[in-house]
Amino acid sequence: MRIAIIGAGSMGGTLARHLAKLGHQVSIANSRGRESLTALATEFGATPVAVVDAARSGEIVVIAIPTKAVADLPQGLFANVPSSVVVIDTGNYHPELRDGRIDAIDRGMLDSQWVAQQIGRPVIKAFNNIFHKSLLEKGAPSGTTGRVALSVVGDSSDAKAAVLRLVDDLGFDPVDGGDLDNSWRQQPGTPAYCRDLEAAALLRALTEADRSRIAEYRAEEEARIRRHIAAQAAKG
Ligand SMILES: NC(=O)c1ccc[n+]([C@@H]2O[C@H](COP(=O)([O-])OP(=O)(O)OC[C@H]3O[C@@H](n4cnc5c(N)ncnc54)[C@H](OP(=O)(O)O)[C@@H]3O)[C@@H](O)[C@H]2O)c1
């Protein structure tokens, strides 16, 4: 497939490397332009492109940039992109650590609903609840005992099916997490967030999540990341 990735950091780079290895035609973009990506893209086996060309060149377009940066994407980026093109949002809102406050999300809009609103286009939420290192290292063939599962949510069943297939190809058990209104169940800090669970446990974790705790889950996750950063710094 033609897969375009906007964002070439930990998540975008890991996906690019994996997907190119699987034989997909991968293009990749960042905020600084294609020249800045030449060496990295070659290493990934991908083609460096401008953001506007990424949006136009994929059958699947992955958005893998910080949430706050979504608002900086070019206006009308997807305006002439066919509706059959699947847009994946890998993002997580980190207000204290990275993104600053986004009022609409703080008032209750879900992370990916906000992204969809910003880009004027439905999104499928996927890959947001796996750490990039696990994505790189924990893929395994279908049927492997203990295979890690990944949940995918979104409103279009065709688009979701395409992403569920991609998850399986990448080496993870695909789990349908429902429509976008259920995407809070895999937002930061929830029981289904970055725990590398098998399919049955992931489904249980998605079910166990408590909607009234979204902000609390997020704050707990940010506190956990802060502790992790402090522990790493203490190690030197
Ligand atoms: N890292 C993980 O393990 C992980 C796991 C799950 C989900 N996520 C989520 O995935 C998203 C990306 O995270 P990351 O860790 O990959 O971030 P990252 O390593 O900081 O990389 C961010 C990338 O986004 C690009 N970017 C920033 N603003 C842009 C813009 N306006 N237009 C185009 N590209 C832009 C940056 O390009 P420049 O360098 O040129 O600015 C960079 O390549 C975040 O929402 C994060 O929460 C990350």
Side-chain angles (χ1 to χ4, degrees):
M1 293 187 92
R2 282 179 286 108
I3 302 178
I5 304 176
I6 301 177
S10 304
M11 182 44 70
T14 303
L15 282 171
R17 196 186 288 275
H18 250 317
L19 292 166
K21 225 183 248 172
L22 287 171
H24 295 288
Q25 205 179 313
V26 178
S27 51
I28 190 158
N30 66 3
S31 73
R32 286 166 291 143
R34 42 193 291 233
E35 293 74 22
S36 70
L37 264 178
T38 311
L40 206 59
T42 306
E43 188 192 320
F44 295 153
T47 306
V49 295
V51 169
V52 284
D53 294 323
R56 288 190 206 121
S57 60
E59 291 158 271
I60 293 182
V61 179
V62 182
I63 299 181
I65 65 178
T67 301
K68 67 173 175 197
V70 172
D72 302 330
L73 289 172
Q75 282 292 311
L77 184 60
F78 290 96
N80 296 314
V81 174
S83 59
S84 57
V85 171
V86 177
V87 181
I88 300 177
D89 172 31
T90 72
N92 293 307
Y93 172 49
H94 290 299
E96 300 292 335
L97 290 173
R98 189 192 60 200
D99 294 318
R101 290 280 160 198
I102 297 174
D103 284 348
I105 301 182
D106 286 346
R107 285 198 305 269
M109 191 179 264
L110 304 181
D111 298 8
S112 288
Q113 286 174 337
W114 183 81
V115 170
Q117 186 194 58
Q118 293 300 303
I119 64 170
R121 173 99 194 187
V123 298
I124 300 291
K125 190 176 191 75
F127 306 111
N128 78 296
N129 58 339
I130 183 163
F131 186 48
H132 68 96
K133 235 171 153 283
S134 295
L135 187 60
L136 187 67
E137 294 167 358
K138 295 197 175 172
S142 180
T144 304
T145 306
R147 194 185 197 212
V148 172
L150 284 181
S151 47
V152 174
V153 295
D155 295 337
S156 155
S157 47
D158 286 348
K160 194 160 51 177
V163 181
L164 287 164
R165 279 196 297 276
L166 207 61
V167 163
D168 195 17
D169 287 350
L170 285 164
F172 298 86
D173 271 351
V175 165
D176 184 340
D179 58 18
L180 203 67
D181 195 42
N182 276 292
S183 58
W184 63 271
R185 295 181 185 276
Q186 63 187 65
Q187 284 186 180
T190 56
Y193 186 73
C194 293
R195 297 220 156 73
D196 295 348
L197 302 171
E198 294 174 37
L202 178 58
L203 274 166
R204 258 195 319 276
L206 290 166
T207 309
E208 278 164 18
D210 174 353
R211 190 164 191 155
S212 71
R213 295 197 63 226
I214 291 176
E216 214 176 317
Y217 285 140
R218 184 182 287 129
E220 284 168 6
E221 178 61 18
E222 290 203 303
R224 193 199 61 75
I225 296 171
R226 253 202 212 97
R227 285 195 301 276
H228 175 74
I229 293 170
Q232 293 299 109
K235 270 193 214 158

